[in-house]
Amino acid sequence: MTKSAATSPLGTSHFTRVNGLQTHAWVRGDGPPLVLVPGLGCASWMYVRVSRELARERTVYVYDPPGHGFSKGRRDYPRNMEDLTDHLAEWLVECGLNCAPLFGHSLGGEVIFDLAARYPTCTSALIACAPTGIPENPSVTMQLLRLLRDLPRERLPLLLPALSAYSTSGFGLMLRLASDQSQHDTGPLLPAVQVPTLLLDGDADPVIQSWTVREIRRAIPGAVVRTVPGGTHALTDSHPKTVARYTLDFLRRVEAGQSQEPAALCEP
């Protein structure tokens, strides 16, 4: 069951019960749906700038994964990357968004790759913005050092929303997921992604190396890369107009080439 709260500058707040947990998303805009999946420890309120731009042509669902933002988690859940993927797949079905395109930022990019590989009927297209982990899988220490290098490059107005999001998720959850991410089995994952895929790479991002994005492009059949000049790791905040332009252009091309077959339910 989905319930809606009052509308705010972020959009309309929707709660859906998935796997016994209240799961939140901000919804804004009008048009075909697009689901935005945040990065590790991030929350829906960190994506105001890019969702505003995307909402000029799409109905944007800014999803909070379990234990993130306004979505409930449990002490031992989510335990790993697969839990994040499974929860997202169930949420898409509950909300009637099966086969919607997915936009994943940072760890959210890794989640949507995993979903497209394991639930091949669950999405029609992927946009991965500064996707983490694949195929490099750095250690937790290396991830932290890279994030510290990136921090001075981000906009100061993002700092407070980010700190609020990290505080909400908590150190334990973030460490557990980051540790699992460094061991995530990526061998068969990327070649199994069979939907159109756009990779967005910021050339000033110290967290995700450009060679990693190029390796992802080689591994996913037909994937394309767009580089954002001056783009930091938080591309969605530092360059929202450019990110939205690349995303919307890509989706228009994808949808112009798709047949009008009815959407299937998400199935593993």
Side-chain angles (χ1 to χ4, degrees), residues 68 102 105 143 186 189 209 215 249 258 262:
H68 293 66
L102 303 177
H105 171 241
Q143 292 180 54
T186 63
L189 185 62
Q209 313 298 301
E215 287 297 314
D249 287 348
Q258 287 178 339

Side-chain angles (χ1 to χ4, degrees), residues 101-227:
L102 303 177
F103 180 113
H105 171 241
S106 192
L107 182 72
E110 192 168 347
V111 170
I112 66 173
F113 293 148
D114 195 44
L115 183 138
R118 293 174 51 220
Y119 295 87
T121 63
C122 212
T123 183
S124 56
L126 305 180
I127 302 94
C129 184
T132 63
I134 300 176
E136 187 179 2
N137 287 345
S139 67
V140 174
T141 301
M142 182 60 70
Q143 292 180 54
L144 178 60
L145 290 174
R146 289 181 180 180
L147 285 170
L148 290 175
R149 285 181 57 201
D150 178 68
L151 189 60
R153 308 182 187 200
E154 303 295 352
R155 292 187 326 118
L156 282 177
L158 181 63
L159 182 59
L160 285 179
L163 289 175
S164 175
Y166 296 151
S167 175
T168 298
S169 295
F171 177 76
L173 173 62
M174 295 175 64
L175 178 61
R176 184 165 68 244
L177 293 176
S179 299
D180 180 72
Q181 179 192 8
S182 68
Q183 304 172 40
H184 193 208
D185 181 12
T186 63
L189 185 62
L190 295 177
V193 175
Q194 297 295 316
V195 296
T197 300
L198 171 65
L199 308 172
L200 299 177
D201 178 30
D203 66 5
D205 180 1
V207 178
I208 301 304
Q209 313 298 301
S210 289
W211 72 263
T212 302
V213 178
R214 291 194 297 269
E215 287 297 314
I216 295 172
R217 180 192 62 191
R218 280 191 280 267
I220 296 179
V224 295
V225 176
R226 295 288 180 266
T227 300

Side-chain angles (χ1 to χ4, degrees), residues 8 11 15-16 38 40-41 55 57 83 102 121 137 175 191 219-220 240 267-268:
S8 82
F15 288 88
T16 306
L40 176 63
E57 295 187 20
D83 282 348
L102 303 177
T121 63
N137 287 345
L175 178 61
I220 296 179
E267 297 176 344

Side-chain angles (χ1 to χ4, degrees), residues 35 87-100 102 115 122-123 266:
V35 176
H87 188 276
L88 174 59
E90 290 184 47
W91 179 84
L92 289 168
V93 172
E94 287 293 327
C95 294
L97 294 170
N98 43 287
C99 290
L102 303 177
L115 183 138
C122 212
T123 183
C266 296

Side-chain angles (χ1 to χ4, degrees), residues 12 20 52 67 70 72 116 120 138 151 167 189 197 229 232 234 252 256 261:
T12 302
R52 181 188 301 127
F70 295 118
K72 298 295 184 182
L151 189 60
S167 175
L189 185 62
T197 300
T232 61
R252 281 194 293 268
E261 297 175 358

